[in-house]
Amino acid sequence: DGGITQSPKYLFRKEGQNVTLSCEQNLNHDAMYWYRQDPGQGLRLIYYSQIVNDFQKGDIAEGYSVSREKKESFPLTVTSAQKNPTAFYLCASSTLPGQGFDGYTFGSGTRLTVV
Amino acid sequence: AQSVAQPEDQVNVAEGNPLTVKCTYSVSGNPYLFWYVQYPNRGLQFLLKYITGDNLVKGSYGFEAEFNKSQTSFHLKKPSALVSDSALYFCAVRDNNNDMRFGAGTRLTVKP
């Protein structure tokens, strides 16, 4: 079955530590996205990528970094510069305009907690 | 820039009663409209979409939504609510630039 996989499901970060969240898809989607979800605030876009080796900042990119070395993979690193990283992180993927856009497919999320 | 609003943070209904979760949008050009559902500690799941065609869209789990261009609305409906429908519901809109925006979400609680 095609889908999008996020790992780990739960992650704990110490102060000053960088952590990387994994996102892999086998849907052959060109576009991938990272969102942050906080209670009562909906989804906020962190970064997105529409092609390998290229990505764009979203609304809240500060303190985060990404890479897109392969079409299937879009890892997110939460750096020590992100002062309030505790949140639920969602990865999504989609086709591009002109490819029959059908909405986003989401992973099951990673809950990051600072300890 | 496009935007979407879900005016209700919380909707409570009794099991067996009809439910409505409201969504209004603002977009330049033709809207692509979506509803997603999220269960606790899970990702968002696609429910239904409107891209073109019939204004009444039917989706998963008995849900439907009506596109109303004059009122710029895309309300989610179900004729008879189930306790298992209790979840967080998100409306989303995408414009021609492939920029998708999500509403803040509405928490639906269906009581037995």
Side-chain angles (χ1 to χ4, degrees), chain B residues 6 8 11 19-23 35 74-76 89 106 108:
Chain B
Q6 294 181 242
E8 301 158 317
V11 171
L19 69 87
T20 299
V21 183
K22 295 180 180 178
C23 173
W35 275 102
F74 190 56
H75 301 331
L76 181 70
Y89 290 81
T106 298
L108 172 68

Side-chain angles (χ1 to χ4, degrees), chain B residues 1-85:
Chain B
Q2 77 278 23
S3 64
V4 60
Q6 294 181 242
E8 301 158 317
D9 293 335
Q10 175 91 28
V11 171
N12 297 314
V13 298
E15 188 174 29
N17 283 1
L19 69 87
T20 299
V21 183
K22 295 180 180 178
C23 173
T24 59
Y25 67 91
S26 174
V27 64
S28 56
N30 296 321
Y32 288 43
L33 295 157
F34 301 83
W35 275 102
Y36 290 86
V37 61
Q38 184 182 33
Y39 297 99
N41 291 312
R42 301 298 299 274
L44 277 65
Q45 297 177 30
F46 171 82
L47 274 180
L48 51 80
K49 67 181 178 185
Y50 172 84
I51 294 178
T52 188
D54 195 349
N55 289 345
L56 184 63
V57 179
K58 294 188 182 296
S60 307
Y61 313 121
F63 284 93
E64 59 188 28
E66 185 167 13
F67 171 64
N68 188 317
K69 188 173 183 178
S70 63
Q71 297 185 5
T72 61
S73 67
F74 190 56
H75 301 331
L76 181 70
K77 299 182 179 184
K78 187 173 182 180
S80 178
L82 300 173
V83 173
S84 58
D85 293 330

Side-chain angles (χ1 to χ4, degrees), chain A residues 37 59 101-102 104 107 111, chain B residues 36 38 41 43 49 100-101:
Chain A
Q37 186 177 21
D59 300 321
F101 182 82
D102 206 26
Y104 289 4
R111 185 164 297 281
Chain B
Y36 290 86
Q38 184 182 33
N41 291 312
K49 67 181 178 185
M100 192 119 137
R101 294 288 172 174

